[in-house]
Amino acid sequence: MARAIPLQRRLFMTILAWAAGLLIFFPVLWTVLTSFKTELEAFSTPPKLFFFDWTLENYSIVQERSNYLRFASNSIILSVGSTLIALAFGIPAAWAMAFQPGKRTKDLLMWMLSTKMMPPVGALIPLYLGFRDMGLLDTRGGLIAVLFLINLPIVVWMLYTYFKEIPVDILEAARMDGASLWKELVFVLAPMAVPGIASTMLLNVILAWNEAFWTLNLSTSEAAPLTVFIASYSSPEGLFWAKLSAASTMAIAPILVLGWFAQRQLVRGLTFGAVK
Amino acid sequence: MATHHAIRLGRLATAPSVLVLFMWMIVPLAMTVWFSLLRYNLLDAENAYFAGLDNYIYFVTDPAFSDAIKNTLLLVGTVLAVSVIFGIALALLLDQAILGRSIVRLLIITPFFVMPTVSALVWKNMMMHPVSGVIAYLFKILGLAPIDWFADAPRSAIAIMVSWQWLPFATLIFLTSVQSLDEEQKEAAEMDGASPFAYFFYIVLPHLARPITVVILIETIFLLNVFAEIYVTGSGGMAGNMPYLVYFQGLLNFDVGGASAGGIIAVILANIVAVFLMRMIGKTLES
Amino acid sequence: MGTIRLQSVTKRFDAVEVIPGVDLSIREGEFIVFVGPSGCGKSTILRLIAGLEDVSSGEIFIDEKPVAQEPASQRGLAMVFQSYALYPHMSVRGNIAFGLKMAGQPKELIEAKVAKAAETLNLTDYLDRKPRQLSGGQRQRVAIGRAIVREPKAFLFDEPLSNLDAALRVQMRLEIMQLHKTLKATMVYVTHDQVEAMTMADRIVVLNKGRIEQVGTPMELYDRPNSLFVAGFIGSPKMNLVSGPAAEQYGAATIGIRPEHIAIGEGAKAVTARIRIAEHLGSDTFIHLDTDELGALTVRAQGHVEAAPGTSLSVILDPARIHRFDAHGKVIVHA
């Protein structure tokens, strides 16, 4: 099993891997560093990596000028809200499909996934017009509904694959122990399902946070999340790199931390258990 | 395997999800189909009338359409090639006995969590800017002429950016799969005198067949729908894909009929891919 | 109390009829074992009694009260699962107490009952551990403890020993038998292992393709199997079964004789055989023979017997111990 690996080889591989990792990470690192520079230093040639006058002014300016906190709170409300609703719909459905499978359960799961394959442009026009007529454009409620619907299939699938791993025997044992259905769910299933539900929630908050097609098309200011906030920096203010960097850092930082926690669940979740 | 009571309850528990998803799938699609058959412009909404397949004919013969199809397929193809080839290479590298593997893993997975609008702006302004971008600086050091990426090579620029976003996903999946490779298989191959190349082609690659299919199909679904990167960088004119064209036709040109026809074409395109994906996932559900 | 009665119980999954119709009465305090090959329906019948599956038709009585429409939680039975099915997030104490908690019993009473059960099962030192920290045998005991504290009308065991290694299996077998003696409770036990069935049961129910082949005490089944299936299933090594001309001499389609009813020796009716292989167990010797008239035979000889492969041997069948079966596999009763 364990054999000594030549030190040189190990060193070489380590350097190579770190070089690749840093190369891929560089745009993010660069953004974070630039966010602490003055606008002048942000443009300087040759670019300054670490040796510049660190400043926090970009962050305060960004908050002052474009009200970062409102967009951020919209992002939180939209991503968490839509995920919670998806869980409320998805948990009972996944429970039923995992523990009371019928002849059509498999077809049903497949069909749910197929709705995810539908390209959003196929629904953009009627949805935009419908939202306009119902006064839902640029409202949190409208966006939550859309994000809920686009993520529901993934939520059901992820929960289903997690529930599938809970042995039915244990639920039956509870039934034999005289537990009613409600008590069986609360005392036996719920404690065992919590980790799966938590990872499902985490991954879907991330997906909803970064969703940029519907949020860009259906919101402008009132309900707009961070995706739209950043897009507003696109042309005129794009010249202010340090501020753009500060805004970008603030937009991705929260989800980056969550993402690092969720990375192990990511593979399983997004491949619907096909790769574990 | 359950009692009648439980089966009834199960139906009840599934119904809400099925109902909302059914509505979500069928209502907008039906409306899109209907709109696609109308001559319907938002600026002249009162005078909408039935136009049969005119929109489709108009859309398909529009030169922007063939460009959009070409751009869509080019983007999907390039990013997939990058994801699979570099993803496998990185996964094999990370599978070696390297120091600080979990940190390198974090560094590599990071781009996947960056929202599309942020990566669009960061790449456009700070990495690929023709004067002060990091890439321009590197080109100058190497004695090359800097490229104005988004003016001269917008398709490549978009492809590089989107590859950067999706390579991490592929790497992580391949790494998970490579790490699940049986240690005894490695040893058996060694005992059989397999060279590293033979080991890769006869053991590793077949083992990766399934994750490769998964990566290709799942990324295709998302890559067919890339929108924010093109919209935010303002490169829709030259590098616009199908989603961008539909957005452009509908929400900028106010041509609801034409945009809807484009939407339906995009749906058909995606469904061809989806059929393969469903078959494959269906198989894993059985095993 | 603790009688169970099945009346024309059937079960079908979609179009497949797995239990075509079963009638059975289980007496109070009886240890009854369902035995049969995998897929014979033994576990399904147990789950029907438990209420984990609905009957398709027929009725189940527990203490003469019809329960077929009652949910599992209301039937007052306890079950020990093959996988133990312990609650992984609860301590041993929590696992054993769960049923009592569900029944809404007072805390002190639960404490006392859990303590007593733990003592009976040698689990006192492990009460605060989680199931994953226990060995297979200990887990099995927790599962049994969970069942006994509830003082159920009957215990149901679904292949409870099949996940244990051989030595532990023998030990747990004795423990369960001891438990039955102490509690004097009705127990229904499912296994595919005929040794477990023979050693533990008051009565054995042999199942084949969803039907009851025979019900009886272990010795009844051993001495008087009423079908070829039972004859072949009960007993180890298996009964020798011979068909063809040799069986026709006895007026049967097939005859059977157990290995211990063939003696080594000379005589008028002796059969000459060649030794193929011999298994020496010390207490017994199993000799596998080839004969011209009867085909392959297995003989059980007491103690150690020299039997070199390839040499010849002559054996005598005990005519009183020959079982005769007709073409349908039914026993032909001695005229």
Side-chain angles (χ1 to χ4, degrees):
Chain A
M1 296 270 293
R3 271 174 302 177
I5 293 153
L7 190 66
Q8 280 157 317
R9 182 187 154 89
R10 210 179 145 144
L11 210 64
F12 176 71
M13 288 297 178
T14 301
I15 291 169
L16 206 62
W18 274 88
L22 287 171
L23 184 69
I24 287 175
F25 185 67
F26 181 77
V28 175
L29 176 72
W30 189 243
T31 306
V32 174
L33 288 175
T34 307
S35 74
F36 294 108
K37 293 174 185 169
T38 61
E39 290 296 351
L40 208 62
E41 279 177 314
F43 273 100
S44 70
T45 337
K48 292 181 178 172
L49 196 56
F50 292 109
F51 303 103
F52 52 85
D53 293 325
W54 291 67
T55 171
L56 282 172
E57 65 171 15
N58 296 313
Y59 285 90
S60 51
I61 292 171
V62 165
Q63 161 58 16
E64 226 170 83
R65 250 199 346 206
S66 37
N67 206 352
Y68 164 80
L69 286 178
R70 201 190 66 221
F71 290 99
S73 64
N74 277 339
S75 267
I76 293 171
I77 291 168
L78 296 184
S79 57
V80 175
S82 64
T83 302
L84 287 181
I85 298 174
L87 286 175
F89 276 74
I91 290 174
W95 167 79
M97 291 197 259
F99 296 117
Q100 263 85 45
K103 270 174 292 180
R104 283 185 303 271
T105 299
K106 213 190 113 179
D107 296 335
L108 207 58
L109 275 166
M110 282 294 129
W111 170 76
M112 282 196 175
L113 200 58
S114 75
T115 66
K116 186 72 199 155
M117 310 298 163
M118 190 70 76
V121 287
L124 174 63
I125 303 296
L127 220 70
Y128 182 85
L129 297 178
F131 267 43
R132 186 196 62 185
D133 296 343
M134 289 186 283
L136 286 172
L137 278 182
D138 205 16
T139 61
R140 288 175 188 160
L143 278 180
I144 285 179
V146 170
L147 293 176
F148 150 63
L149 286 165
I150 60 171
N151 280 339
L152 182 59
I154 295 186
V155 167
V156 172
W157 258 91
M158 283 187 67
L159 289 171
Y160 172 79
T161 57
Y162 282 113
F163 284 178
K164 260 298 200 211
E165 285 176 10
I166 296 174
V168 189
D169 278 3
I170 295 181
L171 303 185
E172 291 181 341
R175 240 166 279 167
M176 293 307 293
D177 266 346
S180 62
L181 177 69
W182 178 244
K183 284 180 174 170
E184 171 190 324
L185 295 183
V186 172
F187 292 111
V188 181
L189 180 63
M192 287 192 286
V194 160
I197 294 175
S199 359
T200 306
M201 183 167 168
L202 205 59
L203 192 59
N204 278 278
V205 166
I206 294 171
L207 289 178
W209 184 281
N210 287 342
E211 202 293 319
F213 180 80
W214 293 108
T215 48
L216 285 176
N217 277 310
L218 298 180
S219 71
T220 49
S221 56
E222 276 309 305
L226 289 166
T227 44
V228 179
F229 162 78
I230 290 300
S232 74
Y233 275 74
S234 58
S235 37
E237 298 183 76
L239 296 173
F240 299 99
W241 288 7
K243 282 171 204 69
L244 168 65
S245 297
S248 298
T249 305
M250 285 197 282
I252 60 174
I255 223 61
L256 216 54
V257 176
L258 276 192
W260 283 341
F261 277 115
Q263 55 152 336
R264 298 221 169 247
Q265 309 305 327
L266 185 78
V267 172
R268 218 200 118 124
L270 279 183
T271 59
F272 307 113
V275 177
K276 280 184 194 169
Chain B
M1 295 282 264
T3 57
H4 294 307
H5 177 66
I7 289 170
R8 248 199 327 275
L9 201 71
R11 292 222 180 96
L12 212 66
T14 332
S17 295
V18 173
L19 218 67
V20 294
L21 277 178
F22 185 72
M23 302 281 285
W24 169 246
M25 189 177 86
I26 213 71
V27 175
L29 188 66
M31 286 173 75
T32 307
V33 171
W34 171 239
F35 287 156
S36 75
L37 301 173
L38 298 181
R39 178 82 197 92
Y40 181 6
N41 193 300
L42 283 183
L43 299 177
D44 190 18
E46 275 78 46
N47 291 323
Y49 59 88
F50 189 80
L53 294 175
D54 281 2
N55 285 317
Y56 289 92
I57 294 165
Y58 167 77
F59 203 90
V60 172
T61 50
D62 182 2
F65 170 75
S66 55
D67 281 348
I69 292 275
K70 217 166 32 188
N71 287 339
T72 306
L73 296 180
L74 218 60
L75 180 66
V76 172
T78 316
V79 178
L80 282 182
V82 171
S83 297
V84 170
I85 295 168
F86 288 88
I88 291 177
L90 279 174
L92 291 178
L93 181 60
L94 286 185
D95 190 41
Q96 305 294 316
I98 57 170
L99 297 170
R101 183 194 297 163
S102 54
I103 299 172
V104 177
R105 236 174 83 130
L106 279 189
L107 295 181
I108 288 180
I109 190 62
T110 300
F112 186 74
F113 300 117
V114 174
M115 60 176 64
T117 46
V118 166
S119 59
L121 284 187
V122 166
W123 277 91
K124 181 181 181 183
N125 292 317
M126 288 154 57
M127 305 307 295
M128 292 177 166
H129 193 278
V131 180
S132 328
V134 174
I135 295 179
Y137 173 69
L138 290 179
F139 271 49
K140 271 182 251 170
I141 289 180
L142 297 172
L144 299 169
I147 301 173
D148 186 353
W149 290 92
F150 282 92
D152 299 335
R155 290 186 198 92
S156 312
I158 298 281
I160 291 172
M161 192 166 78
V162 177
S163 299
W164 177 74
Q165 288 173 302
W166 283 97
L167 174 60
F169 174 73
T171 306
L172 199 62
I173 287 183
F174 293 142
L175 180 60
T176 309
S177 181
V178 167
Q179 285 178 335
S180 77
L181 194 62
D182 194 0
E183 186 70 25
E184 281 183 8
Q185 252 190 59
K186 284 184 201 176
E187 290 172 348
E190 224 172 294
M191 296 301 290
D192 285 342
S195 70
F197 280 105
Y199 174 66
F200 176 76
F201 282 106
Y202 291 106
I203 310 280
V204 178
L205 216 50
H207 181 76
L208 286 177
R210 183 187 172 104
I212 289 173
T213 349
V214 170
V215 164
I216 289 178
L217 290 164
I218 288 179
E219 287 198 357
T220 306
I221 296 298
F222 283 90
L223 294 174
L224 283 173
N225 297 324
V226 164
F227 173 74
E229 292 83 347
I230 295 168
Y231 167 82
V232 173
T233 55
S235 39
M238 286 173 75
N241 59 357
M242 282 300 291
Y244 185 83
L245 187 61
V246 171
Y247 153 82
F248 182 79
Q249 196 70 9
L251 300 191
L252 293 186
N253 278 355
F254 306 111
D255 175 12
V256 172
S260 298
I264 295 303
I265 293 172
V267 168
I268 294 168
L269 212 68
N271 271 296
I272 296 171
V273 178
V275 167
F276 289 103
L277 182 58
M278 306 306 275
R279 277 215 193 121
M280 191 190 54
I281 293 184
K283 269 182 211 149
T284 66
L285 194 67
E286 274 155 20
S287 60
Chain C
M1 297 293 270
T3 67
I4 299 170
R5 189 156 62 83
L6 307 183
Q7 195 178 70
S8 324
V9 168
T10 70
K11 176 68 185 174
R12 48 172 70 243
F13 292 118
D14 300 328
V16 189
E17 193 161 57
V18 283
I19 309 293
V22 162
D23 290 274
L24 180 70
S25 277
I26 297 169
R27 296 189 277 263
E28 193 187 331
E30 192 171 28
F31 197 114
I32 200 143
V33 175
F34 292 172
V35 71
S38 62
C40 71
K42 54 192 189 299
S43 283
T44 306
I45 297 180
L46 194 75
R47 291 168 61 82
L48 289 171
I49 296 173
L52 296 172
E53 302 280 353
D54 282 336
V55 298
S56 299
S57 70
E59 186 56 84
I60 296 170
F61 300 90
I62 295 176
D63 291 339
E64 287 311 313
K65 194 171 122 305
V67 294
Q69 302 309 318
E70 296 221 336
S73 55
Q74 301 300 312
R75 294 193 186 182
L77 305 174
M79 184 150 163
V80 176
F81 292 81
Q82 177 173 6
S83 63
Y84 321 133
L86 301 181
Y87 311 123
H89 54 289
M90 297 182 197
S91 63
V92 170
R93 189 191 306 280
N95 265 280
I96 298 178
F98 186 74
L100 300 173
K101 231 158 71 185
M102 291 300 106
Q105 299 214 10
K107 262 207 168 93
E108 305 78 58
L109 193 67
I110 295 179
E111 280 290 311
K113 282 184 174 172
V114 170
K116 186 159 167 278
E119 203 187 302
T120 319
L121 294 163
N122 280 325
L123 288 169
T124 310
D125 294 339
Y126 305 101
L127 276 177
D128 293 315
R129 293 209 189 163
K130 289 279 172 68
R132 62 170 179 279
Q133 297 167 300
L134 302 178
S135 69
Q138 289 166 337
R139 284 179 206 184
Q140 186 57 265
R141 278 205 279 272
V142 176
I144 293 171
R146 195 166 64 177
I148 60 176
V149 286
R150 297 184 50 227
E151 293 162 17
K153 292 174 187 152
F155 290 86
L156 310 177
F157 293 90
D158 190 2
E159 307 219 14
L161 305 184
S162 53
N163 284 350
L164 299 175
D165 65 49
L168 207 51
R169 201 148 56 208
V170 174
Q171 187 200 330
M172 286 305 298
R173 199 162 82 197
L174 291 171
E175 283 188 34
I176 293 174
M177 286 159 78
Q178 188 60 48
L179 198 69
H180 180 239
K181 264 181 116 172
T182 326
L183 298 175
K184 297 185 174 59
T186 310
M187 292 187 176
V188 185
Y189 188 105
V190 164
T191 182
H192 62 267
D193 179 354
Q194 60 94 23
V195 177
E196 272 176 31
M198 290 296 285
T199 51
M200 299 172 89
D202 291 328
R203 280 196 302 159
I204 296 176
V205 178
V206 182
L207 289 156
N208 182 26
K209 293 177 187 149
R211 290 174 201 279
I212 294 181
E213 283 277 340
Q214 191 171 1
V215 183
T217 65
M219 281 310 124
E220 277 169 5
L221 297 191
Y222 192 80
D223 291 336
R224 292 190 296 281
N226 63 11
S227 70
L228 207 51
F229 179 82
V230 177
F233 196 79
I234 300 286
S236 173
K238 272 177 183 275
M239 182 186 280
N240 295 296
L241 297 171
V242 179
S243 20
E248 276 160 27
Q249 284 181 6
Y250 290 88
T254 307
I255 56 166
I257 184 157
R258 295 203 180 274
E260 61 267 38
H261 298 143
I262 304 176
I264 299 169
E266 306 285 339
K269 288 203 159 179
V271 178
T272 315
R274 287 168 308 283
I275 299 176
R276 194 146 40 85
I277 210 161
E279 296 176 279
H280 300 278
L281 275 69
S283 58
D284 292 293
T285 306
F286 301 150
I287 309 167
H288 301 276
L289 304 167
D290 284 322
T291 67
D292 291 333
E293 304 99 288
L294 302 172
L297 286 182
T298 302
V299 174
R300 173 189 216 140
Q302 279 206 344
H304 178 66
V305 176
E306 282 303 333
T311 57
S312 288
L313 191 70
S314 121
V315 293
I316 306 168
L317 278 59
D318 180 350
R321 298 293 200 149
I322 290 175
H323 304 265
R324 302 183 302 150
F325 302 96
D326 65 18
H328 304 289
K330 292 281 164 236
V331 75
I332 301 169
V333 185
H334 289 273

